[in-house]
Amino acid sequence: MELIYATEKVRRLCQSTNTAAKLFGGKKELAISLAARINALQSAVNIKDIIVQKPFHFHQLKNKKGKDLDGYFAIDVKSRSDPWRIILRPLDSDKKPFVPCHIDEIAEYVEIVEIREVSNHYE
């Protein structure tokens, strides 16, 4: 799958374990898990390959606290017990978001995703 990063900062974070370790408070194992998740996303043929991976806990996000998260999804960086997640959005072949985004109907066709951020779910 093709990955597009929302910002240069997000790209650096996802492509450098040293940068990621700083975000994770020096926890190198989280940085390695992030790199593995990014690798899995890149290796996937389409988003369905990610959805079916139970350990990734792929789930749709809801609008909360003024954040517009329609069409965004998340996967865990490491596990459900860890608060870190990767927020992503499926894009069509023109690199535009699906509106509306019915993931069950488009999963087999999504070959491009935008990584919006890596964030602590509880912050």
Side-chain angles (χ1 to χ4, degrees):
M1 227 174 5
E2 180 182 352
L3 302 185
I4 295 173
Y5 298 97
T7 66
E8 180 61 22
K9 180 180 177 181
V10 172
R11 186 194 65 75
R12 282 192 315 271
L13 177 68
C14 292
Q15 294 182 348
S16 167
T17 53
N18 289 335
T19 303
K22 290 176 188 173
L23 174 69
F24 299 134
K27 295 181 180 176
K28 197 76 165 176
E29 69 274 4
L30 283 174
I32 292 168
S33 290
L34 174 61
R37 292 294 200 246
I38 295 299
N39 187 44
L41 286 166
Q42 290 173 325
S43 298
V45 173
N46 56 46
I47 196 78
K48 188 173 182 179
D49 292 344
I50 300 302
I51 294 170
V52 299
Q53 299 284 333
K54 294 262 186 218
F56 289 16
H57 190 252
F58 182 91
H59 59 284
Q60 187 168 7
L61 298 177
K62 297 184 171 120
N63 295 328
K64 287 186 179 179
K65 299 178 184 175
K67 280 190 173 183
D68 180 13
L69 297 171
D70 281 341
Y72 284 93
F73 299 84
I75 61 174
D76 294 334
V77 168
K78 188 173 179 188
S79 69
R80 291 300 306 140
S81 62
D82 198 75
W84 293 95
R85 63 188 182 174
I86 302 166
I87 298 176
L88 53 89
R89 171 170 59 176
L91 302 176
D92 65 18
S93 59
D94 295 325
K95 299 181 181 176
K96 304 278 185 220
F98 288 89
V99 178
C101 185
H102 300 290
I103 198 68
D104 294 340
E105 297 171 7
I106 63 171
E108 292 181 26
Y109 309 106
V110 175
E111 296 177 355
I112 307 168
V113 295
E114 175 191 45
I115 307 293
R116 175 178 172 167
E117 65 184 60
V118 177
S119 62
N120 186 326
H121 175 63
Y122 300 108
E123 288 183 351

